[in-house]
């Protein structure tokens, strides 16, 4: 069971790291870069990005950590690295909160922007961008912070898990 818990923690940590990195990159590079585009270029770029990102390379590290963290919590509660349990729970709560932000804030904004025809009037493109850009960027920063905090909790849980393994072999 210890090996299973180690595997769940490592895979969850990798997923949290990938998501933290992706959303942080959007916060400090992608959105500031796109802010320099004209309205049509901004809308078109975000539509392309939002369509392209729905693939297995994104969905696997985005979705898989949740069930793995639930399993890691159960294993820790059963006595496998009990000292890591509060940190695993913290990681699960933080990751779950980031997941909810994505589903309740960023995805609806993506869906609304996706419906804007690129041959719309300049006013329509400006209004669509205005309804999207600042709100999406703000919620993206929130999820980047939550994923980064989840990653930190997971790294500490892994440390404690490793310490517990050392104590068992002593």
């Amino acid at each position: 069971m210890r090996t299973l818990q180690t595997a769940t923690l490592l895979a969850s940590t990798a997923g949290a790291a990938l998501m933290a990195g992706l959303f942080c990159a959007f916060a400090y590079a992608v959105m500031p870069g796109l802010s320099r585009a004209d309205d049509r270029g901004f809308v078109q770029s975000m539509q392309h990005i939002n369509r392209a990102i729905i693939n297995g390379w994104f969905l696997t590290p985005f979705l898989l950590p949740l069930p793995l963290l639930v399993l890691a919590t159960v294993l820790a509660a059963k006595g496998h690295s009990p000292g890591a349990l509060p940190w695993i729970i913290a990681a699960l709560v933080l990751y779950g909160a980031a997941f909810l932000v994505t589903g309740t804030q960023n995805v609806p904004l993506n869906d609304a922007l996706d419906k804007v025809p690129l041959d719309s009037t300049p006013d329509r493109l400006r209004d669509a961008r205005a309804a999207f850009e600042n709100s999406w960027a703000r919620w993206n920063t929130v999820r980047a912070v939550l994923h980064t905090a989840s990653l930190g909790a997971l790294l500490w849980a892994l440390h404690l898990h490793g310490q517990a393994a050392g104590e068992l072999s002593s």
Side-chain angles (χ1 to χ4, degrees), residues 155-166:
L155 289 170
W156 190 246
L158 273 168
H159 170 73
L160 295 173
H161 178 69
Q163 274 189 330

Side-chain angles (χ1 to χ4, degrees), residues 93-142:
V93 169
L94 290 162
Y95 200 95
F99 187 85
L100 286 173
V101 165
T102 299
T104 64
Q105 302 301 319
N106 294 93
V107 169
L109 289 167
N110 292 346
D111 291 345
L113 191 68
D114 192 54
K115 294 175 183 165
V116 177
L118 292 175
D119 60 357
S120 294
T121 66
D123 287 346
R124 170 83 166 107
L125 291 168
R126 184 192 64 240
D127 292 347
R129 178 181 187 166
F132 177 89
E133 187 173 14
N134 290 335
S135 183
W136 192 94
R138 182 175 39 259
W139 285 111
N140 179 70
T141 300
V142 169

